[in-house]
Amino acid sequence: MVEFNFAHVMGCRFFLFFVATGDIELSKEINESFKQSSQARTKLPSGIEMSVHVLTTGYWPTYPPMDVRLPHELNVYQDIFKEFYLSKYSGRRLMWQNSLGHCVLKAEFPKGKKELAVSLFQTVDLMQFNDAERLSLGYIKDSTGIEDKELRRTLQSLACGKVRVLQKFPKGRDVDDGDTFTFNDSFTAPLYRIKVNAIQMKETVEENTSTTERVFQDRQYQVDAAIVRIMKTRKVLSHTLLITELFQQLKFPIKPADLKKRIESLIDREYLERDKNNPQIYNYLA
Ligand SMILES: *[C@@H]1O[C@H](CO)[C@@H](O)[C@H](O)[C@H]1NC(C)=O
Ligand SMILES: *[C@@H]1O[C@H](CO)[C@@H](O)[C@H](O)[C@H]1NC(C)=O
Ligand SMILES: *[C@@H]1O[C@H](CO)[C@@H](O)[C@H](O)[C@H]1NC(C)=O
């Protein structure tokens, strides 16, 4: 029998939310200091790139928390990070936002190895197949704990979309009660790295709005974090120089007017102030 394998998780990006008001976490710094920490060096299984975005709930739209039972391998990573994080900032209420997580998996198909860029939910589904050849919808639901509608959509993305790494029985575009799944052992693709879109076919208008909203909120957060990061280093900076640095740092297109709005918002929230003698200059407020 050919050995199929979705087991090798190469990297994961997790999202950790904490409930707090007022302070912007410098996600990047926390991520970096985690890498240097004794927890990461001594406890983290080697060979995985782990990255965690730590976000304040106040900055993000509240997503409905979505349940998922992570396989032991992934749970370990989250636990180690949480231990590290709470040792730095004690007493915070933390919440993993697993519906936003992403992973890269190495998968071995009979026709070749591939790297799959998938969501954390897709990862959890695929990892079920490391120990079994054929699984029913009901079984996957029990073992992953993913909510019914979300699970069906995830399986649909893996078995009925453009990239079909799973095979569904019987064939069809929708996932129905009683359906079963196996690996697609004839899977091939021209590229080595493949992204399997999470929401493939049935993105409703409502979902589309919230995706757009999510991207917008994400960017807003990234802009705020970049402004604070730059100002924390520079302490004092003119408007023009700040905008120039932001354009260098931000990886997505953004209008100067939108940057200005974020600066105003940070002034309102007292991260920055306008210099009393020159309104074109900002001071960082620690
Ligand atoms: C966190 O660190 C990892 C490993 O160095 C890196 O690949 C990732 O991009 C970083 N993530 C963030 C959010 O800074
Ligand atoms: C398995 O993958 C191949 C190529 O990647 C695809 O053509 C085929 O339709 C897939 N099989 C099923 C049953 O989805
Ligand atoms: C989702 O929204 C984007 C931006 O508003 C739009 O371009 C796209 O056509 C929409 N897609 C669907 C499926 O409604």
Side-chain angles (χ1 to χ4, degrees):
M1 200 186 85
V2 197
E3 179 131 345
F4 303 118
N5 200 347
F6 285 128
H8 193 65
V9 180
M10 301 181 60
C12 277
R13 191 148 47 96
F14 295 112
F15 286 77
L16 179 70
F17 278 59
F18 68 91
V19 181
T21 48
D23 63 346
I24 294 181
E25 282 294 317
L26 296 175
S27 192
K28 210 165 170 183
E29 286 176 13
I30 294 170
N31 187 41
E32 287 298 318
S33 61
F34 174 60
K35 238 185 343 187
Q36 317 292 338
S37 73
S38 61
Q39 284 94 338
R41 278 184 287 121
T42 60
K43 296 184 181 163
L44 207 61
S46 60
I48 183 170
E49 272 289 302
M50 177 170 170
S51 149
V52 181
H53 291 255
V54 182
L55 306 162
T56 51
T57 48
Y59 276 86
W60 283 65
T62 42
Y63 303 113
M66 273 199 250
D67 286 337
V68 60
R69 202 171 302 126
L70 293 184
H72 176 72
E73 295 93 310
L74 298 178
N75 240 334
V76 170
Y77 300 129
Q78 290 197 342
D79 286 349
I80 294 170
F81 185 85
K82 205 163 175 173
E83 187 190 314
F84 154 78
Y85 188 77
L86 287 175
S87 72
K88 275 185 81 133
Y89 309 91
S90 62
R92 282 193 171 160
R93 203 153 70 77
L94 300 171
M95 192 172 57
W96 291 101
Q97 195 74 38
N98 286 324
S99 61
L100 297 176
H102 286 279
C103 297
V104 174
L105 310 180
K106 194 166 257 176
E108 290 183 24
F109 294 95
K111 294 187 173 171
K113 290 185 187 174
K114 296 288 174 196
E115 256 180 48
L116 306 175
V118 284
S119 72
L120 186 55
F121 280 15
Q122 288 172 324
T123 303
V124 172
D125 284 353
L126 291 177
M127 284 175 79
Q128 306 299 315
F129 289 86
N130 287 325
D131 311 316
E133 225 169 296
R134 181 183 285 262
L135 295 173
S136 68
L137 173 65
Y139 178 91
I140 301 172
K141 191 152 123 188
D142 287 343
S143 63
T144 62
I146 298 174
E147 183 267 326
D148 188 78
K149 197 165 147 245
E150 186 64 27
L151 178 65
R152 284 175 201 249
R153 189 163 50 193
T154 310
L155 287 167
Q156 193 181 32
S157 74
L158 295 166
C160 316
K162 236 196 281 174
V163 180
R164 300 181 177 186
V165 291
L166 294 180
Q167 244 178 302
K168 185 178 93 72
F169 301 91
K171 283 191 157 111
R173 302 188 113 229
D174 291 307
V175 173
D176 295 314
D177 293 346
D179 283 359
T180 58
F181 299 85
T182 66
F183 279 102
N184 175 358
D185 56 9
S186 53
F187 181 79
T188 55
L191 294 176
Y192 177 63
R193 284 203 74 162
I194 304 160
K195 179 167 171 25
V196 187
N197 289 332
I199 303 169
Q200 280 275 355
M201 328 183 40
K202 281 194 153 179
E203 193 176 38
T204 61
V205 173
E206 182 195 345
E207 280 159 353
N208 194 14
T209 326
S210 69
T211 310
T212 314
E213 171 91 343
R214 199 179 290 185
V215 170
F216 175 75
Q217 293 282 352
D218 180 25
R219 290 188 169 175
Q220 192 159 305
Y221 164 77
Q222 289 186 45
V223 173
D224 286 2
I227 297 172
V228 172
R229 201 162 53 231
I230 294 167
M231 290 306 297
K232 195 175 175 182
T233 320
R234 300 302 192 90
K235 307 292 184 229
V236 178
L237 209 56
S238 72
H239 178 77
T240 318
L241 283 176
L242 177 57
I243 299 287
T244 310
E245 286 218 20
L246 284 169
F247 278 129
Q248 281 165 2
Q249 291 204 8
L250 296 168
K251 301 277 182 284
F252 45 85
I254 185 158
K255 292 196 277 290
D258 292 331
L259 293 179
K260 197 146 182 283
K261 270 189 217 148
R262 298 320 305 159
I263 295 171
E264 294 299 335
S265 156
L266 288 164
I267 291 173
D268 287 346
R269 286 177 285 152
E270 301 186 341
Y271 286 97
L272 316 176
E273 65 173 10
R274 267 181 228 288
D275 193 88
K276 287 176 187 65
N277 303 317
N278 183 351
Q280 286 302 307
I281 293 199
Y282 304 118
N283 299 320
Y284 178 68
L285 298 174

